[in-house]
Amino acid sequence: MSKFWSKVVHGLTPYVPGEQPKINNLVKLNTNENPYGPSPKVIAAIKQFADDTLRLYPDPNSEALKTSIADYFKVKTNNVFVGNGSDEVLAIAFQALLKHNAPILFPDITYSFYPVYCKLYEIDFKVIPLNDSFEIVLNDYLIPNGGIIFPNPNAPTGIPITSNQIENFLKKNNSSVVIVDEAYVDFGTESVIHLTEKYNNLLVTHSFSKSRSLAGLRLGYAIGHADLIEALIRVKDSFNSYPIDRLGLVAGIESFKDDSYFKNICQKVIHTKLNFIEKLTSLNFSVLPSGANFIFAKHTSVEGNIIVSKLRDQGIVVRRFDNPIRISSYIRFTIGSDEEMDSLLKALKLILST
């Protein structure tokens, strides 16, 4: 601590990202990265554009990338906002759309960056408990609020909500912004981007990090009514007019061009996930439904912290959450390649047999 700190710094408990261990030959299944690299066309484009033009600023409005996204989802470019990873997009949305007199609402078990943003921007918030099955019950959010945000599928549980459920909720909650964080949507959950044309209070955020295999480049975007997007742009341009670098713009555009590659790797991850769930269940794990590229599970008799520790001894890293206490026995397993999941299953069988 320092006397030079601003007042807000003293009250911050920063978000803790998933561990990035520097261990050779590690099976890394803790941060929901895609086991498959980006499209070869993306790599080729980056190499082609890594030239003398890097001395120049990128397009501050990212118009070409916005156009690619708009064309893909059949919306207008003024319905699209892009940022330096979906975390930055969310941070801007908290500032631009969620700072009102009433508290904002989000689940008690969810992406742990949400309360961090609230503390940073001094936004009042109220957490809404998941039900006993760890599901988001949208009717519980029909109380006075300054905005609502939740992931779909939720994280770290992985449980999805249907598009119809969300639309029915939007019909009832029409006086505040609803942000649906779809970071994992491409792995088995129905997107609600199509609803942004009907509901002017809906903002949907996406990430390039998971399904498009570009976590190392930091790209994200939001789609919503033009008035919501204008608010995001006003905040963005008040502190960083150039969030997306030249190589990031190229990579994002190319990733949308190679749609067959994108869909193929998503389906591969989904297939591996379903196979892994079946085998994990046979090892006496209780597994929550998952519309993501990870699953949330607990063993019926062995504590999660013991399993995580023993897996690490075998060079396999997964993730467990101590808070809140009712999920401390659960383990979040990122879905890796078939070979990685086979290694994980082999290790689990060994652990559970001793």
Side-chain angles (χ1 to χ4, degrees):
M1 297 178 67
S2 168
K3 66 178 182 180
F4 301 114
W5 284 11
S6 298
K7 179 182 176 182
V8 68
V9 176
H10 291 272
L12 294 179
T13 302
Y15 171 76
V16 179
E19 182 188 7
Q20 297 288 346
K22 296 175 174 59
I23 303 172
N24 293 330
N25 302 315
L26 186 74
V27 178
K28 188 174 179 295
L29 302 172
N30 67 322
T31 52
N32 302 335
E33 293 146 323
N34 200 312
Y36 307 106
S39 162
K41 295 179 180 179
V42 170
I43 301 298
I46 291 173
K47 290 179 178 178
Q48 180 183 347
F49 281 86
D51 57 23
D52 180 68
T53 59
L54 291 179
R55 65 188 171 81
L56 303 173
Y57 283 111
D59 173 11
N61 298 316
S62 304
E63 290 297 337
L65 177 56
K66 288 181 182 179
T67 298
S68 294
I69 297 169
D71 289 348
Y72 188 85
F73 290 106
K74 296 179 173 56
V75 297
K76 297 178 181 179
T77 55
N78 65 353
N79 298 128
V80 180
F81 177 84
V82 296
N84 191 228
S86 64
D87 284 338
E88 182 186 73
V89 174
L90 289 168
I92 291 172
F94 268 72
Q95 284 186 305
L97 301 172
L98 297 180
K99 193 167 185 177
H100 301 287
N101 292 329
I104 71 167
L105 311 177
F106 50 80
D108 65 331
I109 300 172
T110 194
Y111 186 29
S112 55
F113 228 140
Y114 298 162
V116 174
Y117 291 138
C118 288
K119 294 289 182 64
L120 177 61
Y121 302 130
E122 300 180 318
I123 298 171
D124 191 17
F125 68 95
K126 176 182 175 65
V127 296
I128 306 297
L130 302 181
N131 67 13
D132 291 341
S133 299
F134 295 106
E135 298 166 326
I136 294 173
V137 181
L138 290 177
N139 281 342
D140 292 345
Y141 292 74
L142 293 174
I143 58 177
N145 67 82
I148 294 166
I149 182 168
F150 57 86
N152 192 36
N154 195 16
T157 65
I159 299 177
I161 308 172
T162 68
S163 174
N164 284 341
Q165 287 175 303
I166 294 175
E167 181 165 20
N168 288 336
F169 175 72
L170 288 166
K171 291 175 181 177
K172 300 171 186 176
N173 187 91
N174 54 22
S175 59
S176 68
V177 170
V178 177
I179 300 177
V180 181
D181 178 356
E182 293 189 343
Y184 301 100
V185 74
D186 297 313
F187 298 106
T189 297
E190 185 182 7
S191 175
V192 292
I193 283 178
H194 64 285
L195 296 180
T196 60
E197 294 186 83
K198 293 177 63 176
Y199 301 93
N200 64 2
N201 64 327
L202 173 63
L203 186 78
V204 181
T205 63
H206 274 209
S207 172
F208 283 78
S209 298
K210 318 304 189 209
S211 56
R212 295 188 180 274
S213 307
L214 288 171
L217 272 184
R218 314 308 303 129
L219 289 171
Y221 58 96
I223 294 178
H225 190 276
D227 290 346
L228 301 184
I229 299 303
E230 181 183 351
L232 301 182
I233 292 171
R234 286 183 174 216
V235 172
K236 185 267 288 186
D237 285 346
S238 295
F239 78 95
N240 184 7
S241 296
Y242 299 95
I244 311 299
D245 62 58
R246 296 177 71 89
L247 297 183
L249 290 173
V250 168
I253 292 166
E254 289 299 322
S255 75
F256 274 100
K257 288 182 181 179
D258 199 350
D259 195 45
S260 61
Y261 180 88
F262 161 71
K263 289 178 177 175
N264 180 54
I265 63 171
C266 287
Q267 285 303 313
K268 287 174 69 173
V269 171
I270 292 171
H271 181 269
T272 300
K273 175 179 68 175
L274 296 175
N275 183 54
F276 179 64
I277 290 173
E278 181 180 343
K279 292 180 178 178
L280 200 61
T281 303
S282 70
L283 294 177
N284 294 320
F285 276 87
S286 174
V287 182
L288 298 185
S290 172
N293 68 332
F294 59 84
I295 65 165
F296 209 48
K298 70 173 181 177
H299 196 263
T300 55
S301 59
V302 183
E303 286 297 322
N305 61 330
I306 295 174
I307 295 173
V308 170
S309 177
K310 290 186 176 182
L311 283 174
R312 192 180 183 90
D313 291 341
Q314 298 189 49
I316 301 173
V317 180
V318 293
R319 194 166 187 188
R320 190 180 69 86
F321 300 84
D322 285 320
N323 292 306
I325 190 66
R326 65 182 175 133
I327 63 169
S328 61
S329 60
Y330 281 80
I331 302 169
R332 192 186 70 186
F333 298 98
T334 297
I335 302 301
S337 65
D338 288 334
E339 294 75 17
E340 288 174 323
M341 303 317 287
D342 286 343
S343 296
L344 172 58
L345 286 164
K346 182 178 179 181
L348 286 171
K349 289 176 183 178
L350 179 62
I351 291 168
L352 298 173
S353 67
T354 57

